[in-house]
Amino acid sequence: MAKVHRLISVVLRLAAAAAAAAAAIIMVTSHEATSLFGLELEAKYSHIPSFIFFVVAYAVACAYSLLVIFVPPGSAASRLVVMTDVLMGMVLTGAVAATGAIAEVGRNGNSHAGWLPICEQVHDYCNHVMGAFIAGFVALILYFLIIMYSLHVVADPMCPCH
Amino acid sequence: MAKVHRLISVVLRLAAAAAAAAAAIIMVTSHEATSLFGLELEAKYSHIPSFIFFVVAYAVACAYSLLVIFVPPGSAASRLVVMTDVLMGMVLTGAVAATGAIAEVGRNGNSHAGWLPICEQVHDYCNHVMGAFIAGFVALILYFLIIMYSLHVVADPMCPCH
């Protein structure tokens, strides 16, 4: 049973690391130069603080997921891993939410605040950011599954302690 | 020992419920009407989707925190509560991050996207949103402590099962 737990955990972590790497790479490579009324406009991820946070969070999540695979199961460190998993899941949720909030303004604008939508001018850039958002969301769901699976194993109803 | 665990858990949940209620109420009451170049401007939370999400998330978190206090410790439902706590913590992180991302644009604008800062025009509104953000952040930290404490109790190193 322990071997099955271990296998499921490793597969989930590898998938999460791959999705996190994809999210960070797609966001970093989002770039578009266009001209509007003769003005050169350049759109890249580093112009928006939330997108920088997204890249850093997913790069850290990717490295963390790969490192945690080497933590021996049943060790004192493996109990700490459940807690760091929850922290990582929360950081990724924050990154996805902040990116989603800004991407929504980029797509729809906000007439009350006078913020115009920019996606019509930089269409490819917006699609790239949307791709990163989707990859990030997949990584987040995988993280959620990792956490739920760890909690299910740790909070074993058959255990006489609980 | 079980009584101490219970007391700590109830106190943390009551504090989290109070902070969540404060965050939702401060955000809902954020409202300012001003005039700019003869134009009537109105700023309220419902103009921004992220702020609506914030209010809904914190209202749900407040009700949830109060309800969970009545779940008997050691029951099958109490094991489920650790999982729903993690889910709630992630939803609140998302609400805080989305609100923070939009509030940052409101305060600093984004010259690359052509979004102007609005906080100089609607100063009180911005302060109100910042107040809601701080209360939301406090509630989030309390939620994080609730989750870490539950995990600490569940993943007891003295338990022979782990």
Side-chain angles (χ1 to χ4, degrees), chain B residues 26-71:
Chain B
I26 297 171
M27 183 61 98
V28 166
T29 54
S30 64
H31 179 270
E32 190 176 355
T34 185
S35 66
L36 191 69
F37 306 124
L39 278 168
E40 272 299 317
L41 282 180
E42 196 188 15
K44 50 184 179 177
Y45 86 97
S46 57
H47 287 166
I48 294 174
S50 296
F51 293 178
I52 298 174
F53 172 44
F54 183 94
V55 170
V56 173
Y58 275 92
V60 169
C62 176
Y64 167 81
S65 293
L66 294 177
L67 280 176
V68 162
I69 291 173
F70 298 103
V71 173

Short mmCIF file of all heavy atoms in Angstrom, two decimals, chain B residues 26-71:
data_model
loop_
_atom_site.label_atom_id
_atom_site.label_comp_id
_atom_site.label_asym_id
_atom_site.label_seq_id
_atom_site.Cartn_x
_atom_site.Cartn_y
_atom_site.Cartn_z
N ILE B 26 -16.10 46.11 5.38
CA ILE B 26 -15.34 47.31 4.97
C ILE B 26 -15.36 47.44 3.45
O ILE B 26 -15.52 48.53 2.90
CB ILE B 26 -13.88 47.25 5.51
CG1 ILE B 26 -13.86 47.26 7.04
CG2 ILE B 26 -13.08 48.45 4.99
CD1 ILE B 26 -12.49 46.99 7.65
N MET B 27 -15.24 46.28 2.74
CA MET B 27 -15.24 46.34 1.27
C MET B 27 -16.61 46.77 0.74
O MET B 27 -16.69 47.62 -0.17
CB MET B 27 -14.85 44.97 0.70
CG MET B 27 -14.73 44.94 -0.81
SD MET B 27 -13.48 46.07 -1.47
CE MET B 27 -12.11 44.95 -1.70
N VAL B 28 -17.69 46.21 1.31
CA VAL B 28 -19.05 46.54 0.83
C VAL B 28 -19.36 48.03 1.03
O VAL B 28 -20.02 48.64 0.20
CB VAL B 28 -20.11 45.65 1.54
CG1 VAL B 28 -21.50 46.21 1.33
CG2 VAL B 28 -20.05 44.23 1.01
N THR B 29 -18.85 48.59 2.13
CA THR B 29 -19.18 49.99 2.44
C THR B 29 -18.23 50.98 1.75
O THR B 29 -18.36 52.19 1.96
CB THR B 29 -19.16 50.23 3.96
OG1 THR B 29 -17.89 49.80 4.46
CG2 THR B 29 -20.26 49.48 4.67
N SER B 30 -17.27 50.47 0.95
CA SER B 30 -16.36 51.39 0.24
C SER B 30 -17.13 52.07 -0.89
O SER B 30 -17.62 51.42 -1.81
CB SER B 30 -15.15 50.64 -0.31
OG SER B 30 -15.53 49.70 -1.27
N HIS B 31 -17.26 53.38 -0.81
CA HIS B 31 -18.08 54.11 -1.78
C HIS B 31 -17.65 55.57 -1.75
O HIS B 31 -17.47 56.15 -0.68
CB HIS B 31 -19.56 53.95 -1.41
CG HIS B 31 -20.46 54.69 -2.34
ND1 HIS B 31 -20.82 55.99 -2.13
CD2 HIS B 31 -21.05 54.30 -3.49
CE1 HIS B 31 -21.60 56.39 -3.13
NE2 HIS B 31 -21.76 55.38 -3.96
N GLU B 32 -17.46 56.15 -2.91
CA GLU B 32 -17.14 57.58 -2.96
C GLU B 32 -17.67 58.19 -4.25
O GLU B 32 -17.53 57.60 -5.33
CB GLU B 32 -15.62 57.81 -2.86
CG GLU B 32 -15.28 59.28 -2.65
CD GLU B 32 -13.80 59.52 -2.46
OE1 GLU B 32 -13.03 58.55 -2.38
OE2 GLU B 32 -13.41 60.71 -2.39
N ALA B 33 -18.31 59.34 -4.12
CA ALA B 33 -18.77 60.08 -5.30
C ALA B 33 -17.95 61.36 -5.39
O ALA B 33 -17.76 62.06 -4.39
CB ALA B 33 -20.25 60.39 -5.19
N THR B 34 -17.45 61.64 -6.55
CA THR B 34 -16.65 62.84 -6.74
C THR B 34 -16.93 63.40 -8.13
O THR B 34 -17.54 62.73 -8.96
CB THR B 34 -15.14 62.53 -6.55
OG1 THR B 34 -14.41 63.74 -6.62
CG2 THR B 34 -14.63 61.58 -7.61
N SER B 35 -16.51 64.62 -8.37
CA SER B 35 -16.69 65.16 -9.72
C SER B 35 -15.34 65.58 -10.28
O SER B 35 -14.50 66.13 -9.58
CB SER B 35 -17.68 66.32 -9.72
OG SER B 35 -17.13 67.40 -9.00
N LEU B 36 -15.14 65.29 -11.56
CA LEU B 36 -13.87 65.58 -12.22
C LEU B 36 -14.20 66.26 -13.54
O LEU B 36 -14.92 65.70 -14.37
CB LEU B 36 -13.12 64.26 -12.44
CG LEU B 36 -11.66 64.39 -12.89
CD1 LEU B 36 -10.79 64.94 -11.77
CD2 LEU B 36 -11.13 63.02 -13.34
N PHE B 37 -13.72 67.48 -13.75
CA PHE B 37 -14.01 68.27 -14.95
C PHE B 37 -15.53 68.35 -15.18
O PHE B 37 -15.99 68.21 -16.31
CB PHE B 37 -13.32 67.69 -16.18
CG PHE B 37 -11.84 67.50 -16.02
CD1 PHE B 37 -11.25 66.26 -16.22
CD2 PHE B 37 -11.02 68.57 -15.65
CE1 PHE B 37 -9.88 66.10 -16.07
CE2 PHE B 37 -9.65 68.40 -15.49
CZ PHE B 37 -9.08 67.16 -15.71
N GLY B 38 -16.29 68.48 -14.10
CA GLY B 38 -17.74 68.61 -14.22
C GLY B 38 -18.47 67.28 -14.40
O GLY B 38 -19.69 67.25 -14.43
N LEU B 39 -17.70 66.19 -14.50
CA LEU B 39 -18.33 64.87 -14.66
C LEU B 39 -18.51 64.24 -13.29
O LEU B 39 -17.60 64.28 -12.45
CB LEU B 39 -17.44 63.95 -15.50
CG LEU B 39 -17.52 64.08 -17.02
CD1 LEU B 39 -16.37 63.31 -17.66
CD2 LEU B 39 -18.86 63.54 -17.52
N GLU B 40 -19.68 63.65 -13.06
CA GLU B 40 -19.93 62.95 -11.80
C GLU B 40 -19.27 61.57 -11.87
O GLU B 40 -19.53 60.79 -12.80
CB GLU B 40 -21.43 62.78 -11.56
CG GLU B 40 -22.09 63.94 -10.85
CD GLU B 40 -21.55 64.21 -9.45
OE1 GLU B 40 -21.34 63.24 -8.70
OE2 GLU B 40 -21.33 65.39 -9.11
N LEU B 41 -18.39 61.29 -10.91
CA LEU B 41 -17.75 59.98 -10.86
C LEU B 41 -18.20 59.26 -9.60
O LEU B 41 -18.28 59.87 -8.54
CB LEU B 41 -16.23 60.12 -10.82
CG LEU B 41 -15.50 60.43 -12.11
CD1 LEU B 41 -14.01 60.53 -11.83
CD2 LEU B 41 -15.77 59.35 -13.16
N GLU B 42 -18.49 57.98 -9.73
CA GLU B 42 -18.88 57.20 -8.56
C GLU B 42 -17.99 55.97 -8.48
O GLU B 42 -17.84 55.26 -9.48
CB GLU B 42 -20.35 56.79 -8.69
CG GLU B 42 -20.93 56.33 -7.37
CD GLU B 42 -22.32 55.75 -7.51
OE1 GLU B 42 -22.72 55.44 -8.65
OE2 GLU B 42 -22.98 55.59 -6.48
N ALA B 43 -17.40 55.75 -7.33
CA ALA B 43 -16.55 54.57 -7.16
C ALA B 43 -17.17 53.67 -6.10
O ALA B 43 -17.45 54.13 -4.99
CB ALA B 43 -15.15 54.99 -6.74
N LYS B 44 -17.45 52.43 -6.47
CA LYS B 44 -17.90 51.49 -5.45
C LYS B 44 -17.38 50.10 -5.76
O LYS B 44 -16.93 49.83 -6.88
CB LYS B 44 -19.42 51.50 -5.30
CG LYS B 44 -20.22 51.37 -6.56
CD LYS B 44 -21.71 51.51 -6.22
CE LYS B 44 -22.57 51.40 -7.46
NZ LYS B 44 -24.00 51.47 -7.15
N TYR B 45 -17.43 49.23 -4.75
CA TYR B 45 -16.79 47.92 -4.89
C TYR B 45 -17.37 47.11 -6.04
O TYR B 45 -16.65 46.38 -6.73
CB TYR B 45 -16.89 47.14 -3.57
CG TYR B 45 -18.17 46.37 -3.40
CD1 TYR B 45 -18.21 45.01 -3.71
CD2 TYR B 45 -19.34 46.98 -2.98
CE1 TYR B 45 -19.39 44.29 -3.57
CE2 TYR B 45 -20.50 46.28 -2.86
CZ TYR B 45 -20.52 44.93 -3.15
OH TYR B 45 -21.68 44.22 -3.03
N SER B 46 -18.67 47.26 -6.32
CA SER B 46 -19.33 46.42 -7.32
C SER B 46 -18.92 46.77 -8.75
O SER B 46 -19.31 46.07 -9.69
CB SER B 46 -20.85 46.51 -7.16
OG SER B 46 -21.26 47.86 -7.28
N HIS B 47 -18.11 47.81 -8.93
CA HIS B 47 -17.61 48.15 -10.27
C HIS B 47 -16.47 47.24 -10.70
O HIS B 47 -16.11 47.23 -11.87
CB HIS B 47 -17.12 49.60 -10.30
CG HIS B 47 -18.24 50.60 -10.27
ND1 HIS B 47 -18.03 51.93 -10.01
CD2 HIS B 47 -19.57 50.46 -10.47
CE1 HIS B 47 -19.18 52.57 -10.06
NE2 HIS B 47 -20.12 51.69 -10.32
N ILE B 48 -15.89 46.53 -9.74
CA ILE B 48 -14.69 45.73 -10.05
C ILE B 48 -14.93 44.27 -9.67
O ILE B 48 -15.18 43.95 -8.50
CB ILE B 48 -13.46 46.33 -9.30
CG1 ILE B 48 -13.16 47.72 -9.89
CG2 ILE B 48 -12.25 45.41 -9.43
CD1 ILE B 48 -12.10 48.49 -9.20
N PRO B 49 -14.89 43.36 -10.66
CA PRO B 49 -15.21 41.94 -10.41
C PRO B 49 -14.38 41.32 -9.27
O PRO B 49 -14.92 40.55 -8.47
CB PRO B 49 -14.88 41.26 -11.74
CG PRO B 49 -14.99 42.33 -12.77
CD PRO B 49 -14.61 43.60 -12.09
N SER B 50 -13.09 41.69 -9.17
CA SER B 50 -12.24 41.11 -8.12
C SER B 50 -12.74 41.49 -6.73
O SER B 50 -12.62 40.71 -5.78
CB SER B 50 -10.80 41.62 -8.28
OG SER B 50 -10.27 41.17 -9.48
N PHE B 51 -13.29 42.70 -6.61
CA PHE B 51 -13.78 43.15 -5.30
C PHE B 51 -15.08 42.41 -4.94
O PHE B 51 -15.33 42.14 -3.77
CB PHE B 51 -14.00 44.67 -5.29
CG PHE B 51 -12.74 45.49 -5.42
CD1 PHE B 51 -12.80 46.88 -5.47
CD2 PHE B 51 -11.49 44.89 -5.47
CE1 PHE B 51 -11.65 47.65 -5.58
CE2 PHE B 51 -10.32 45.65 -5.60
CZ PHE B 51 -10.41 47.03 -5.65
N ILE B 52 -15.91 42.11 -5.95
CA ILE B 52 -17.13 41.33 -5.70
C ILE B 52 -16.73 39.94 -5.22
O ILE B 52 -17.30 39.40 -4.25
CB ILE B 52 -17.99 41.25 -6.98
CG1 ILE B 52 -18.44 42.65 -7.40
CG2 ILE B 52 -19.21 40.34 -6.76
CD1 ILE B 52 -19.17 42.69 -8.74
N PHE B 53 -15.75 39.33 -5.89
CA PHE B 53 -15.22 38.02 -5.48
C PHE B 53 -14.73 38.08 -4.04
O PHE B 53 -15.01 37.17 -3.23
CB PHE B 53 -14.10 37.62 -6.45
CG PHE B 53 -13.33 36.39 -6.06
CD1 PHE B 53 -13.96 35.25 -5.59
CD2 PHE B 53 -11.93 36.36 -6.19
CE1 PHE B 53 -13.24 34.12 -5.24
CE2 PHE B 53 -11.21 35.23 -5.85
CZ PHE B 53 -11.86 34.12 -5.36
N PHE B 54 -14.03 39.16 -3.69
CA PHE B 54 -13.50 39.35 -2.33
C PHE B 54 -14.64 39.32 -1.30
O PHE B 54 -14.56 38.61 -0.30
CB PHE B 54 -12.77 40.70 -2.28
CG PHE B 54 -12.10 41.03 -0.96
CD1 PHE B 54 -10.77 40.72 -0.76
CD2 PHE B 54 -12.80 41.66 0.05
CE1 PHE B 54 -10.14 41.04 0.44
CE2 PHE B 54 -12.19 41.98 1.26
CZ PHE B 54 -10.85 41.66 1.45
N VAL B 55 -15.69 40.09 -1.57
CA VAL B 55 -16.82 40.18 -0.63
C VAL B 55 -17.49 38.81 -0.47
O VAL B 55 -17.73 38.35 0.66
CB VAL B 55 -17.85 41.23 -1.10
CG1 VAL B 55 -19.13 41.15 -0.28
CG2 VAL B 55 -17.26 42.63 -1.00
N VAL B 56 -17.75 38.12 -1.59
CA VAL B 56 -18.40 36.81 -1.53
C VAL B 56 -17.52 35.82 -0.77
O VAL B 56 -17.99 35.11 0.13
CB VAL B 56 -18.72 36.28 -2.95
CG1 VAL B 56 -19.24 34.85 -2.90
CG2 VAL B 56 -19.73 37.19 -3.65
N ALA B 57 -16.21 35.78 -1.10
CA ALA B 57 -15.29 34.82 -0.47
C ALA B 57 -15.24 35.04 1.05
O ALA B 57 -15.31 34.08 1.82
CB ALA B 57 -13.90 34.96 -1.08
N TYR B 58 -15.14 36.31 1.48
CA TYR B 58 -15.02 36.58 2.91
C TYR B 58 -16.34 36.38 3.66
O TYR B 58 -16.34 35.98 4.82
CB TYR B 58 -14.39 37.95 3.16
CG TYR B 58 -12.88 37.83 3.12
CD1 TYR B 58 -12.19 38.04 1.94
CD2 TYR B 58 -12.17 37.41 4.23
CE1 TYR B 58 -10.81 37.86 1.88
CE2 TYR B 58 -10.81 37.23 4.18
CZ TYR B 58 -10.13 37.46 3.01
OH TYR B 58 -8.78 37.28 2.96
N ALA B 59 -17.46 36.65 3.00
CA ALA B 59 -18.76 36.38 3.64
C ALA B 59 -18.92 34.89 3.85
O ALA B 59 -19.34 34.44 4.93
CB ALA B 59 -19.89 36.94 2.77
N VAL B 60 -18.56 34.09 2.83
CA VAL B 60 -18.65 32.62 2.95
C VAL B 60 -17.70 32.13 4.05
O VAL B 60 -18.06 31.29 4.88
CB VAL B 60 -18.33 31.94 1.60
CG1 VAL B 60 -18.15 30.44 1.77
CG2 VAL B 60 -19.42 32.24 0.58
N ALA B 61 -16.46 32.68 4.07
CA ALA B 61 -15.45 32.27 5.06
C ALA B 61 -15.93 32.55 6.48
O ALA B 61 -15.73 31.73 7.39
CB ALA B 61 -14.13 32.99 4.81
N CYS B 62 -16.60 33.69 6.67
CA CYS B 62 -17.11 34.05 8.00
C CYS B 62 -18.16 33.04 8.45
O CYS B 62 -18.08 32.49 9.55
CB CYS B 62 -17.70 35.46 7.95
SG CYS B 62 -18.46 35.97 9.48
N ALA B 63 -19.15 32.76 7.58
CA ALA B 63 -20.21 31.80 7.91
C ALA B 63 -19.62 30.41 8.15
O ALA B 63 -19.97 29.73 9.12
CB ALA B 63 -21.24 31.76 6.78
N TYR B 64 -18.70 30.01 7.29
CA TYR B 64 -18.07 28.69 7.40
C TYR B 64 -17.33 28.54 8.73
O TYR B 64 -17.48 27.53 9.43
CB TYR B 64 -17.11 28.48 6.21
CG TYR B 64 -16.19 27.31 6.37
CD1 TYR B 64 -16.63 26.01 6.09
CD2 TYR B 64 -14.87 27.48 6.79
CE1 TYR B 64 -15.77 24.93 6.25
CE2 TYR B 64 -14.02 26.41 6.94
CZ TYR B 64 -14.47 25.14 6.67
OH TYR B 64 -13.62 24.07 6.83
N SER B 65 -16.54 29.57 9.11
CA SER B 65 -15.77 29.52 10.36
C SER B 65 -16.68 29.31 11.56
O SER B 65 -16.35 28.54 12.47
CB SER B 65 -14.99 30.81 10.56
OG SER B 65 -14.00 30.95 9.61
N LEU B 66 -17.82 30.01 11.56
CA LEU B 66 -18.75 29.89 12.70
C LEU B 66 -19.42 28.53 12.72
O LEU B 66 -19.60 27.93 13.78
CB LEU B 66 -19.79 31.01 12.63
CG LEU B 66 -19.24 32.43 12.80
CD1 LEU B 66 -20.35 33.45 12.63
CD2 LEU B 66 -18.58 32.60 14.17
N LEU B 67 -19.78 28.00 11.54
CA LEU B 67 -20.44 26.69 11.46
C LEU B 67 -19.51 25.57 11.92
O LEU B 67 -19.95 24.65 12.62
CB LEU B 67 -20.90 26.40 10.02
CG LEU B 67 -22.20 27.07 9.59
CD1 LEU B 67 -22.48 26.78 8.12
CD2 LEU B 67 -23.36 26.59 10.46
N VAL B 68 -18.23 25.66 11.50
CA VAL B 68 -17.29 24.56 11.77
C VAL B 68 -17.04 24.38 13.27
O VAL B 68 -16.71 23.28 13.72
CB VAL B 68 -15.97 24.83 10.99
CG1 VAL B 68 -14.83 24.02 11.53
CG2 VAL B 68 -16.18 24.51 9.52
N ILE B 69 -17.23 25.46 14.06
CA ILE B 69 -17.04 25.36 15.51
C ILE B 69 -17.94 24.27 16.11
O ILE B 69 -17.57 23.60 17.08
CB ILE B 69 -17.30 26.74 16.17
CG1 ILE B 69 -16.20 27.72 15.77
CG2 ILE B 69 -17.38 26.62 17.69
CD1 ILE B 69 -16.42 29.15 16.22
N PHE B 70 -19.11 24.05 15.47
CA PHE B 70 -20.07 23.09 16.03
C PHE B 70 -19.82 21.65 15.59
O PHE B 70 -20.55 20.75 15.98
CB PHE B 70 -21.50 23.51 15.65
CG PHE B 70 -21.87 24.85 16.21
CD1 PHE B 70 -21.89 25.98 15.40
CD2 PHE B 70 -22.15 24.99 17.56
CE1 PHE B 70 -22.20 27.22 15.92
CE2 PHE B 70 -22.47 26.23 18.09
CZ PHE B 70 -22.49 27.36 17.27
N VAL B 71 -18.79 21.43 14.75
CA VAL B 71 -18.47 20.05 14.34
C VAL B 71 -17.77 19.36 15.52
O VAL B 71 -16.77 19.86 16.02
CB VAL B 71 -17.54 20.04 13.10
CG1 VAL B 71 -17.07 18.62 12.78
CG2 VAL B 71 -18.24 20.66 11.90
#
